Amino acid sequence: HAESALGALEDAGLSKKDVDAYYCAGDAPGLGPLSMIDYMGLKCDHVDSTDTGGSSYVVHVGHAAAAIAAGKCKVALITLAGRPRAEGMATGTAPRPPSGTPAPDVEFEYPYGPTVVNMYAQCAARHMYEFGTTSEQLAWIKVAASTHAQYNPHALLQKVVTVEEVVNSPMIASPLHRLDCCVITDGGGAIVVVAPEIAKSLNRPKVKVMGHGEAVKIQHGGKLDLTHTAAVWSGPKAFEEAGCKPADIDYASI
């Protein structure tokens, strides 16, 4: 967390002394923001430890922008990090919450040995059944990820792959092949969200937060549609706030 934070601040042309807000989720060690702020020696007027799983850090960007707009802070630091590969979680087995944790679905799923891969395989299979999605179409996700990885010197897998290589890789949990699966690795990242006046003073490439949306998809006692996530609701909210539509996004230039 700290290494990523220092790298992001340096990249933004800022230092720890400039940070007045800190955001983290359940991956932060110790007591979350309390421990991390103490460890990194930050002086913060605003903190947020909202945990929505893998979407936490996107949620944090929106929360940081809202806090800045409300005058709560001017420089918000968001960090994420983990060591699943080094700590023996490379099998991708779904972790069982500690006794007493309110997760009623776990007791119904755990006896069947769920893993990240076979649970996502169920979603992929259902999507194929309902919409005629093909393995070749799913393979483009890996192709895009591998294309992005070549620009990250720290990426574990930097080789750009083709659709053919993905669908010809060994089957892990039908219909997902080995190259469809996310590699388990150690790493971290950080984002710095700043007030407009701070951004103008920094001689750095900038990304403007135009819109943000968030939503939660609950399980409805098992009566849920596996073919979509809560992004079907959060996405339109973000586009509406930004004043644009999906067709306006020039993905090739990003």
Side-chain angles (χ1 to χ4, degrees):
H1 282 269
E3 185 178 351
S4 298
L6 291 176
L9 289 169
E10 181 181 359
D11 187 47
L14 297 165
S15 70
K16 291 195 301 179
K17 294 181 180 179
D18 298 306
V19 177
D20 60 356
Y22 176 67
Y23 295 71
C24 66
D27 59 345
L31 299 175
L34 297 180
S35 298
M36 293 304 300
I37 289 172
D38 186 33
Y39 180 78
M40 293 189 287
L42 303 177
K43 184 178 180 181
C44 295
D45 300 317
H46 186 75
V47 297
D48 189 337
S49 58
T50 300
D51 192 341
T52 58
S55 64
S56 300
Y57 319 99
V58 182
V59 169
H60 291 164
V61 170
H63 288 192
I68 290 172
K72 300 292 185 181
C73 58
K74 291 185 178 295
V75 178
L77 172 64
I78 304 167
T79 69
L80 64 152
R83 303 180 67 245
R85 190 180 185 89
E87 294 174 0
M89 294 174 61
T91 59
T93 301
R96 185 172 191 171
S99 178
T101 299
D105 55 293
V106 172
E107 300 305 324
F108 292 93
E109 296 176 350
Y110 206 80
Y112 298 96
T115 67
V116 173
V117 178
N118 63 31
M119 287 193 291
Y120 272 96
Q122 291 184 68
C123 299
R126 186 67 189 182
H127 205 280
M128 288 179 167
Y129 173 78
E130 289 201 22
F131 303 106
T133 311
T134 66
S135 290
E136 286 76 12
Q137 289 172 323
L138 291 180
W140 279 104
I141 300 172
K142 170 60 179 180
V143 172
S146 67
T147 301
H148 297 158
Q150 66 178 319
Y151 300 108
N152 180 2
H154 301 296
L156 184 63
L157 301 178
Q158 294 181 326
K159 178 181 178 293
V160 178
V161 300
T162 65
V163 169
E164 291 71 23
E165 288 176 315
V166 176
V167 297
N168 289 327
S169 62
M171 187 70 75
I172 301 299
S174 181
L176 300 181
H177 303 81
R178 185 169 64 193
L179 290 181
D180 285 309
C181 303
C182 179
V183 62
I184 303 298
T185 187
D186 302 336
I191 304 170
V192 183
V193 184
V194 303
E197 63 271 22
I198 301 291
K200 290 178 181 178
S201 69
L202 301 174
N203 185 26
R204 293 288 196 279
K206 306 172 186 71
V207 176
K208 182 180 179 180
V209 178
M210 297 174 59
H212 173 265
E214 58 186 83
V216 176
K217 180 183 178 183
I218 61 176
Q219 301 188 59
H220 291 290
K223 298 178 181 179
L224 76 165
D225 187 341
L226 294 177
T227 65
H228 67 79
T229 69
V232 298
W233 305 302
S234 61
K237 291 178 183 178
F239 277 107
E240 181 180 4
E241 186 175 292
C244 63
K245 53 186 182 298
D248 297 322
I249 305 299
D250 185 2
Y251 183 81
S253 67
I254 296 177

